[in-house]
Amino acid sequence: MNKYNDLVSKIGDFSRLARNFLGITDNDVELLHQMKDRVSPTFEAVITQAATSLLNDPQGQECIKQSGLSHERAVALFKYWLESVFTGNFDEKHALLVARISLAHVRNGVSEDLMIETMGAFNRELLKLCSTPQESIAVTKALYWNLSIMISAYEYIRGLVKVKALGVERNLEERLVRLYAKEVYTEIAKHIY
């Protein structure tokens, strides 16, 4: 049995939960598929605008520098991902593709906050291409689903490292996170009120 079957299973389960939670319907998926031919010719412009936000962020600049990707390769990778947004079925196989993309982000040092901000930039640009409120809703659901899968993959890797390399079990980590969250929550309240 492959030692990563647990990851594949968790991604599949999480993809179904995220799809249900976000209310992604078969009609949404069909609408995205119908939009593909209209929006795909604009992908380079969408990528350029999203990349402008990324390049204006110091963390984004550093990440691009560290990745060693050429502009052409970065555009090709973003196009590959965007194609999947408009051609995918938002099923387990699609989720595994998105998780793999996310793990490439992890491997290249892309932080979760930078990934979230970049997804927001893509959402901003893709919403400009929508012709109806239904298209806008379907695109936003699709991008949030992608983001959910990506963050799930980040969390899985962090958990794996904590257990395998550091010997910290998941339930201990959760208790510590809650304990420190309570402490920080109380401290932040002092600055608000």
Side-chain angles (χ1 to χ4, degrees), residues 36 40-41 43 78-88 94:
K36 184 209 173 266
S40 62
F43 283 169
F78 277 129
K79 275 186 178 178
Y80 176 72
W81 168 69
L82 280 173
E83 289 284 333
S84 80
V85 171
F86 290 94
T87 61
H94 187 184

Side-chain angles (χ1 to χ4, degrees), residues 8 11-12 61 63 68 81 86 89 94 101 150 155 166 174 191:
V8 171
I11 289 170
Q61 292 169 9
C63 185
W81 168 69
F86 290 94
N89 290 319
H94 187 184
I101 290 168
M150 289 178 176
E155 286 297 312
L166 305 175
E174 287 299 318
H191 296 274

Side-chain angles (χ1 to χ4, degrees), residues 74-123:
V75 168
L77 291 170
F78 277 129
K79 275 186 178 178
Y80 176 72
W81 168 69
L82 280 173
E83 289 284 333
S84 80
V85 171
F86 290 94
T87 61
N89 290 319
F90 298 85
D91 56 9
E92 183 175 321
K93 186 174 180 178
H94 187 184
L96 289 170
L97 175 102
V98 173
R100 189 166 184 256
I101 290 168
S102 181
L103 294 172
H105 285 77
V106 173
R107 188 184 65 214
N108 286 302
V110 178
S111 68
E112 288 166 297
D113 57 340
L114 184 59
M115 183 181 58
I116 292 166
E117 291 167 351
T118 303
M119 190 68 75
F122 275 107
N123 192 53

Side-chain angles (χ1 to χ4, degrees), residues 3-20 90-104 106 145-158 160:
K3 67 180 179 176
Y4 296 110
N5 282 345
D6 180 50
L7 171 62
V8 171
S9 176
K10 284 184 180 192
I11 289 170
D13 291 344
F14 187 76
S15 72
R16 286 183 288 283
L17 288 171
R19 183 174 168 150
N20 288 336
F90 298 85
D91 56 9
E92 183 175 321
K93 186 174 180 178
H94 187 184
L96 289 170
L97 175 102
V98 173
R100 189 166 184 256
I101 290 168
S102 181
L103 294 172
V106 173
W145 182 85
N146 274 263
L147 184 59
S148 295
I149 300 301
M150 289 178 176
I151 290 174
S152 176
Y154 270 71
E155 286 297 312
Y156 183 85
I157 290 301
R158 281 203 177 89
L160 190 65

Side-chain angles (χ1 to χ4, degrees), residues 14-34:
F14 187 76
S15 72
R16 286 183 288 283
L17 288 171
R19 183 174 168 150
N20 288 336
F21 189 89
L22 293 166
I24 297 174
T25 65
D26 291 341
N27 288 338
D28 291 321
V29 174
E30 182 60 32
L31 188 56
L32 291 164
H33 291 177
Q34 290 170 6

Side-chain angles (χ1 to χ4, degrees), residues 45-55 78 118 121-122 124-125:
V46 167
I47 292 165
T48 297
Q49 291 303 312
T52 298
S53 293
L54 187 61
L55 290 169
F78 277 129
T118 303
F122 275 107
R124 177 193 69 217
E125 297 306 317

